[in-house]
Every structure is written in structure tokens, then in C-alpha cells.
Amino acid sequence: MGILGTGIEEGLLLKPVKYQWAMDLYDQAVANTWFPNEVQLGEDIADFKKMTDEERHAVTFLVSYFNPNELLVNKALAFGVYPYLNAAEAHLYLAKQMWEEANHCMSFEYVLETFPIDREEAYNSHIDVPSMARKEEFEVRYIRRMTQEHLDITTTQGKQEFIRNLVAYNIILEGIWFYSGFMVALSFRQRNLLRNFGSLVDWIVRDESLHLKFGMNLILTVLEENPDLQTPEFAAEIKQMILDAVEMEEQYNNDLLPGGILGLNATYINQYVKYLADRRLEELGFEPEYHVTNPAKWMAAANDTLELVNFFESINTSYESNAKASS
């Protein structure tokens, strides 16, 4: 039996562990447990008040985006991932990840409560700002497919939907869009501003790096166990999803920083987005698309959390021998 399945009575025994990478990630996630109120965010209020309107807009925009999208990820996990897996160790990790997403949501609530931000305006942004709403609709479309349409995980089409959902959430939302926002959030600390907010984001990034690693390993495992998914046509579709996501993020970043702030503008962020996309493409076994350097070298430790075997390029006979999930 592979990692995919919908049997309620399967996956009730943890040992022997079949997917050690999932167990290792669960142990690491538990060790990483933290709580927002451990950060003295109130110390950053003076910084926030002395920042320019553009800078405050950027922070507010980021929080407005992250707040609902952390909860959106939870929906994707609850409806689009958890019900379609058999392995107990994968369920354990997903349960911890869902708690982490809730903790991240509460972290951004803490920011909204602490800084003088108009909560109603922040809450409405994901509907009122077209570039933000467009990204959300892109993501919601995949959950709808998983929940509102009949999905038979035993068919090639059903398994493809499962992979599409993982790519939309783990690779695009968490692995590119979130990281782009993290870089902007952490850029203030580079200028000795919002240092405690930066610490909060550091802890979120640490969690998200594990989410990304779990998603990558899960995609790798499903592809390895299901050769019917290894077609050039499906690979091309997955790559196009990522390229479309970059274009959406470029529009979003123009709204995030319409005029630029000290040391940072939309062009800089979008180069970072393309750098991230190339890393994700390579981790998925594709050639890089954009061939750009990382403009935010100080983010390197957060970016390159993964060293995974390529698989989409290995859809020929060499695939089986090459694909090994790293723990």
C-alpha cells in the first residue's frame, strides 16, 4: 500500500514507520514549538510610528495577506491532503502543521492588536485589493476541485488533482509567495527596525521551511509510487502553474511597494521571487526559468532549505533508481 488512500481504518498503527522523512519532520516540528506572546512586540511600536507611510503600508499589506492565507492553508490541508493519505506518520505531521498555521494566524493577529493598524481595512484587503484577491482565487480554485467535485484518488486524474493542490499550496503559496513576503518583512530588521517583529517572522519561516520540505517529499513520494503521473504533459502543466504564480506575484508586489522604500522596491522583490521560483523548479526537477541571482543574500539560510532529487525530469526509465526522498 502506498502513501495515498482514503481508508478510515488504514493508518491507525504508527509502527513500523514506512515514511521516515515524515516522522523526522514531525519530531522536528514538535521541537520547534513556540508561542507569539514570547516576543515582546510592543517594543516595536515606536519604530512603526516613526516609519514612513510607504513602510507602514508595506507592513499592513503583508499582515493583511498573511492573516487569511494561513487559514487558507489549513483548509487545503484539512480538505485536500489529510483525507487522501494513509500513513499515520504523515497524519501526525499534518496535525502539527495545522496547529502551526493556526499559531501563525494568531501571530499576525498579535501584530494587528499591537501596531496602530486599521483592522477592518486590513481584513478587507484580501477582497478589496485586486492583486491579492487574484492570488487567493487561484488557491481557492484548487480546494474547490478537491472538495466540491468528485475526486477518485485511485484514478490518474484524481492523483493529478492531489499533486496540483500540493503544488498550489506547498510550492507556490508557502514556497514562493510566503517567502517573498518574509523577505520584505525581514528587510526592516536589516535597517534596525521592527527587530521583534523580525524574530516573530524568523520563527514562522522556520516552520514554513518544514512545511515546504514535507510538501516536496510528499510530491516526490506520490510520483515515485505512481508512474502513471510521470508524463511530459503533466510536468509541463506543473511548470506553467509556477510561472503563472510568478506573474501574479509581480502584480501583487507592485501594490505592496508602489513607490519603493529605502533599499527595497518592487523590482528588487520580483527578482527575489524569480530566484525563489528557479529554486523550486530545480527542486521539482526542471531547468531554471529566470536565471537570476539572489538579491537578498541575507535570506539565503531561509531559502535553500531543501536538497531533493529531481523527478519531473526523470520520467523515463531512470526514474525509479534516481528518486529517493531525503529526510
Side-chain angles (χ1 to χ4, degrees), residues 170-243:
N170 281 102
I171 308 303
I172 291 172
L173 182 59
E174 294 193 285
I176 299 176
W177 290 351
F178 276 11
Y179 271 73
S180 171
F182 297 149
M183 187 274 284
V184 177
L186 291 170
S187 72
F188 292 103
R189 189 173 59 192
Q190 291 298 107
R191 294 161 44 211
N192 210 25
L193 293 168
L194 306 182
R195 296 182 63 82
N196 295 301
F197 176 62
S199 296
L200 201 63
V201 174
D202 276 340
W203 288 355
I204 293 171
V205 171
R206 187 174 63 177
D207 291 343
E208 293 293 348
S209 70
L210 296 189
H211 302 176
L212 182 59
K213 196 166 187 176
F214 180 86
M216 282 282 189
N217 275 302
L218 181 54
I219 292 171
L220 183 105
T221 300
V222 172
L223 288 166
E224 186 176 6
E225 293 179 349
N226 297 275
D228 54 313
L229 297 178
Q230 301 164 32
T231 68
E233 293 78 15
F234 189 49
E237 181 191 340
I238 295 304
K239 181 173 184 177
Q240 191 59 50
M241 280 178 67
I242 293 170
L243 302 186

Side-chain angles (χ1 to χ4, degrees), residues 48 56 59-60 63-64 111-122:
F48 189 81
R56 284 196 296 267
V59 173
T60 303
V63 175
S64 302
V111 175
L112 286 170
E113 287 167 8
T114 305
F115 293 166
I117 292 172
D118 184 326
R119 181 187 292 271
E120 188 174 353
E121 183 182 340

Side-chain angles (χ1 to χ4, degrees), residues 17-298:
V17 171
K18 184 174 181 182
Y19 301 99
Q20 189 60 46
W21 54 266
M23 198 69 240
D24 291 344
L25 286 170
Y26 173 76
D27 290 338
Q28 196 172 342
V30 171
N32 283 355
T33 301
W34 56 275
F35 301 93
N37 60 9
E38 294 176 273
V39 175
Q40 299 302 310
L41 203 54
E43 295 176 1
D44 287 357
I45 293 175
D47 285 346
F48 189 81
K49 287 181 176 177
K50 74 182 182 187
M51 284 159 47
T52 66
D53 289 344
E54 277 274 356
E55 290 169 332
R56 284 196 296 267
H57 166 78
V59 173
T60 303
F61 202 83
L62 288 172
V63 175
S64 302
Y65 175 69
F66 278 125
N67 192 290
N69 278 277
E70 296 288 1
L71 296 178
L72 194 57
V73 173
N74 257 354
K75 289 181 186 284
L77 297 174
F79 300 130
V81 185
Y82 197 107
Y84 298 103
L85 298 182
N86 276 324
E89 55 272 30
H91 283 157
L92 288 180
Y93 178 79
L94 287 168
K96 180 59 166 70
Q97 181 181 344
M98 290 183 71
W99 179 83
E100 287 169 0
E101 305 297 4
N103 199 43
H104 297 174
C105 176
M106 293 305 293
S107 298
F108 293 115
E109 286 293 331
Y110 180 29
V111 175
L112 286 170
E113 287 167 8
T114 305
F115 293 166
I117 292 172
D118 184 326
R119 181 187 292 271
E120 188 174 353
E121 183 182 340
Y123 269 17
N124 290 338
S125 291
H126 75 113
I127 298 166
D128 295 342
V129 178
S131 61
M132 209 184 286
R134 184 182 175 207
K135 286 168 64 176
E136 187 172 308
E137 176 52 34
F138 173 85
E139 296 295 334
V140 167
R141 188 164 74 240
Y142 291 97
I143 302 185
R144 284 203 195 101
R145 288 182 183 174
M146 301 293 286
T147 59
Q148 296 175 10
E149 300 172 19
H150 179 67
L151 184 69
D152 183 351
I153 203 72
T154 65
T155 66
T156 299
Q157 186 177 4
K159 287 180 281 192
Q160 285 178 337
E161 285 294 0
F162 182 82
I163 293 290
R164 288 184 189 107
N165 187 59
L166 282 176
V167 171
Y169 282 92
N170 281 102
I171 308 303
I172 291 172
L173 182 59
E174 294 193 285
I176 299 176
W177 290 351
F178 276 11
Y179 271 73
S180 171
F182 297 149
M183 187 274 284
V184 177
L186 291 170
S187 72
F188 292 103
R189 189 173 59 192
Q190 291 298 107
R191 294 161 44 211
N192 210 25
L193 293 168
L194 306 182
R195 296 182 63 82
N196 295 301
F197 176 62
S199 296
L200 201 63
V201 174
D202 276 340
W203 288 355
I204 293 171
V205 171
R206 187 174 63 177
D207 291 343
E208 293 293 348
S209 70
L210 296 189
H211 302 176
L212 182 59
K213 196 166 187 176
F214 180 86
M216 282 282 189
N217 275 302
L218 181 54
I219 292 171
L220 183 105
T221 300
V222 172
L223 288 166
E224 186 176 6
E225 293 179 349
N226 297 275
D228 54 313
L229 297 178
Q230 301 164 32
T231 68
E233 293 78 15
F234 189 49
E237 181 191 340
I238 295 304
K239 181 173 184 177
Q240 191 59 50
M241 280 178 67
I242 293 170
L243 302 186
D244 291 346
V246 169
E247 187 266 323
M248 276 183 265
E249 186 69 2
E250 288 183 287
Q251 293 299 316
Y252 167 88
N253 285 326
N254 290 335
D255 290 336
L256 171 68
L257 285 181
I261 57 179
L262 190 64
L264 201 64
N265 57 35
T267 302
Y268 180 101
I269 309 172
N270 287 333
Q271 181 177 334
Y272 181 64
V273 170
K274 289 173 181 174
Y275 169 80
L276 284 175
D278 274 352
R279 299 292 74 74
R280 303 299 169 248
L281 285 167
E282 287 178 312
E283 288 154 4
L284 289 171
F286 297 108
E287 291 296 314
E289 178 75 14
Y290 302 103
H291 303 280
V292 297
T293 57
N294 179 8
K297 295 289 193 294
W298 46 273

